[in-house]
Amino acid sequence: MAAPQQETVNLNSLSPHQLKTLHDQLEEEVEHLSVSMQTLKNTQQRYLESKESLSELKEDNVGKDMLVPLNSSVYVPGQLADASTVVVDIGAGYYVEKSVKEAEEFFKRKMDFLKQQMEKLQPSIQQKYQTKQIVAQLLQSKVMQAQAQQAAPQKA
């Protein structure tokens, strides 16, 4: 399947109304991409925290009282029964029992994948932001030019 062809538009040929529409569209795209980037960062941080929490699973902690997280804000009292295996949320409501080493590898793979996705997304955000800035400058220039033309006949 061939990559979609990008159409090049001469921004100077656009009317102020068209430039404003394009600017607003780019603003929405930058906002959407930025929210996506933040979501990826938050997810990566959760995987990092999960990976780091595995270091607390030690044989000498077996049987000790602890708070067990049910979600990010609810904890219940419990005891560590086994320090060699954990239950990992692999997504879509599925949980799998893994060894601590397997869980660490799983979290590392997930974090690496998210890093790759962020690296792919960042250039797109930058490109759209730069284009939005260019459109904003051109729009401002055209508006000022139109105002100057309206003021010129009044002076004559």
Side-chain angles (χ1 to χ4, degrees):
M1 183 173 179
Q5 292 239 341
Q6 288 190 341
E7 185 177 334
T8 304
V9 175
N10 181 356
L11 294 177
N12 288 318
S13 68
L14 298 178
S15 70
H17 177 71
Q18 290 170 317
L19 286 171
K20 175 70 172 132
T21 301
L22 178 60
H23 179 270
D24 292 347
Q25 178 184 350
L26 288 167
E27 180 74 36
E28 285 181 25
E29 289 178 17
V30 167
E31 178 66 25
H32 175 72
L33 292 172
S34 296
V35 167
S36 295
M37 177 67 83
Q38 190 58 49
T39 300
L40 290 172
K41 286 180 183 179
N42 291 344
T43 303
Q44 187 181 45
Q45 182 61 35
R46 284 196 310 273
Y47 280 126
L48 178 62
E49 290 168 1
S50 295
K51 185 174 184 254
E52 289 173 349
S53 70
L54 293 173
S55 66
E56 297 298 317
L57 298 176
K58 299 176 182 145
E59 287 299 323
D60 53 339
N61 288 338
V62 172
K64 290 187 178 177
D65 290 335
M66 61 184 293
L67 290 175
V68 179
L70 293 181
N71 60 37
S72 62
S73 61
V74 177
Y75 293 81
V76 295
Q79 290 184 345
L80 181 61
D82 180 7
S84 63
T85 60
V86 293
V87 177
V88 177
D89 178 356
I90 60 170
Y94 291 98
Y95 295 85
V96 175
E97 188 171 313
K98 293 182 174 284
S99 71
V100 171
K101 183 172 175 34
E102 289 171 332
E104 286 173 346
E105 292 168 357
F106 173 82
F107 293 135
K108 182 178 181 336
R109 275 193 319 275
K110 289 294 191 177
M111 289 186 303
D112 290 345
F113 175 77
L114 291 168
K115 181 181 177 191
Q116 290 172 353
Q117 296 308 305
M118 287 186 286
E119 288 170 352
K120 288 179 186 177
L121 191 57
Q122 188 61 40
S124 181
I125 293 172
Q126 290 173 333
Q127 184 264 332
K128 289 197 183 289
Y129 181 80
Q130 290 170 349
T131 303
K132 181 184 78 121
Q133 294 300 99
I134 291 168
V135 169
Q137 289 173 352
L138 185 58
L139 177 59
Q140 183 179 11
S141 170
K142 284 200 174 201
V143 168
M144 290 174 66
Q145 194 176 37
Q147 288 173 344
Q149 286 175 352
Q150 287 178 349
Q154 294 172 357
K155 290 181 183 178

